[in-house]
Amino acid sequence: MTFTVEEKDAEESSSKTAILDICLIKSFKQEDMESVLKWMEKLLVLLFLIYGCYAEHQDLSGKKFIIPVETSNSFVKLSGNISKPVTAMTMCQRFFTEEHRDQSLFSLATPSDPKDINLCMQSKGGYKLNIRGNSVTISGLPENRNAWISFCGTWDSKTGLTQMWANGRRSASKILKPNGPINGKPSIILGQNQGSYGGSFVASQSFVGDVTDVHFWDSVISPCQIKLYMQGKNFTPGNILNWKALEFTTGGGVFKEISDYNC
């Protein structure tokens, strides 16, 4: 097979172009990959910031979240107004479930500890509050299935005094080892128990049912305020989480519907 001069020139030009392309690709891989990765990192941060701006901030009066199926990816992430270390707390919520297994009702994690505050309803009975690896279980309070339960729990880091309320009934006070304040940016989750900061959910620990009227205070509020909450009357809303001005995002199969609690 023979080539004309023109064909040889064309072939040589094509080969030179191919070699140049390969050199450019190698040069790009060697010299520019780091800058491309940095650019992609900045893009991801920008997308995260944009996404965060679209987190819903709503008055959820008369609404509820429904998590109808046991999963490891259905949750509600709440944004709390926390600007200083938490030295005491009150958390209130109303929930409705038919499940008879362990279920996470409230999970607050920080980068230093995924279980800073974790509240669960136990299959064997009782409510278990875990704070940084120390826990207390309180039994004898209402644990009705297929009925609404209005629940509040309190804890003071200085004294360790802990108390729970359910449907208007108060527990005796217990001591949960004083641990000092809770520091760090919190990740607050409804529907799942955080095994790590913001994640590592396990389906068998998930909450299945309805939840509404979630409030969180960075203090132990008065028994009178808790009674007002239990009765569905006017009370001072949570200063960290306020159901009437709640910023949240949802993941998985979570539905926001009209609540039947006050019907």
Side-chain angles (χ1 to χ4, degrees):
M1 186 176 181
T2 59
F3 296 93
T4 64
V5 174
E6 291 79 5
E7 288 174 330
K8 288 183 177 179
D9 290 343
E11 185 179 8
E12 289 178 0
S13 176
S14 177
S15 298
K16 290 178 180 178
T17 301
I19 293 171
L20 179 60
D21 289 343
I22 293 172
C23 290
L24 286 173
I25 290 172
K26 288 183 177 179
S27 175
F28 171 78
K29 287 183 177 179
Q30 294 171 354
E31 298 177 4
D32 297 332
M33 185 57 71
E34 185 177 348
S35 61
V36 170
L37 290 174
K38 289 182 179 179
W39 177 83
M40 291 178 67
E41 183 180 352
K42 291 179 180 179
L43 178 61
L44 288 173
V45 171
L46 178 61
L47 290 173
F48 175 80
L49 291 173
I50 292 172
Y51 175 77
C53 291
Y54 284 94
E56 298 181 63
H57 199 170
Q58 298 183 23
D59 180 352
L60 293 182
S61 300
K63 300 294 179 63
K64 65 181 179 180
F65 290 121
I66 302 174
I67 306 175
V69 180
E70 176 183 308
T71 73
S72 61
N73 63 359
S74 295
F75 63 90
V76 182
K77 181 176 178 59
L78 308 178
S79 297
N81 180 30
I82 298 179
S83 58
K84 59 182 180 180
V86 176
T87 58
M89 70 96 181
T90 303
M91 190 283 297
C92 293
Q93 64 171 272
R94 309 187 205 279
F95 64 91
F96 184 109
T97 186
E98 66 176 11
E99 299 292 323
H100 286 269
R101 58 171 175 77
D102 290 357
Q103 296 189 83
S104 177
L105 300 177
F106 185 88
S107 176
L108 186 153
T110 60
S112 61
D113 195 330
K115 298 186 182 299
D116 264 319
I117 301 175
N118 182 54
L119 174 71
C120 73
M121 188 179 188
Q122 299 188 114
S123 60
K124 62 184 179 182
Y127 297 93
K128 182 179 180 180
L129 178 63
N130 184 307
I131 296 182
R132 294 206 211 104
N134 299 292
S135 64
V136 62
T137 299
I138 292 180
S139 303
L141 296 177
E143 300 175 34
N144 313 46
R145 277 12 181 227
N146 289 317
W148 281 104
I149 293 180
S150 296
F151 181 92
C152 291
T154 66
W155 174 70
D156 188 321
S157 70
K158 295 179 180 178
T159 62
L161 282 172
T162 302
Q163 199 171 65
M164 299 185 192
W165 300 64
N167 287 356
R169 288 175 56 184
R170 176 181 65 83
S171 73
S173 295
K174 302 288 186 180
I175 292 292
L176 184 54
K177 185 179 178 181
N179 263 329
I182 294 172
N183 296 287
K185 182 176 176 58
S187 168
I188 304 174
I189 299 289
L190 300 178
Q192 300 286 348
N193 179 24
Q194 298 177 80
S196 62
Y197 183 63
S200 299
F201 304 144
V202 178
S204 61
Q205 299 174 353
S206 66
F207 174 79
V208 177
D210 306 349
V211 62
T212 189
D213 294 342
V214 180
H215 291 265
F216 190 97
W217 297 259
D218 60 357
S219 63
V220 175
I221 65 174
S222 72
C224 290
Q225 284 292 312
I226 291 177
K227 286 182 179 180
L228 290 174
Y229 175 88
M230 292 284 158
Q231 297 164 1
K233 296 181 179 179
N234 290 328
F235 61 93
T236 303
N239 66 322
I240 301 298
L241 297 174
N242 178 357
W243 193 253
K244 295 183 178 181
L246 195 67
E247 185 175 345
F248 66 93
T249 55
T250 61
V254 178
F255 302 88
K256 181 164 63 71
E257 301 291 339
I258 296 173
S259 175
D260 58 309
Y261 172 72
N262 285 321
C263 292

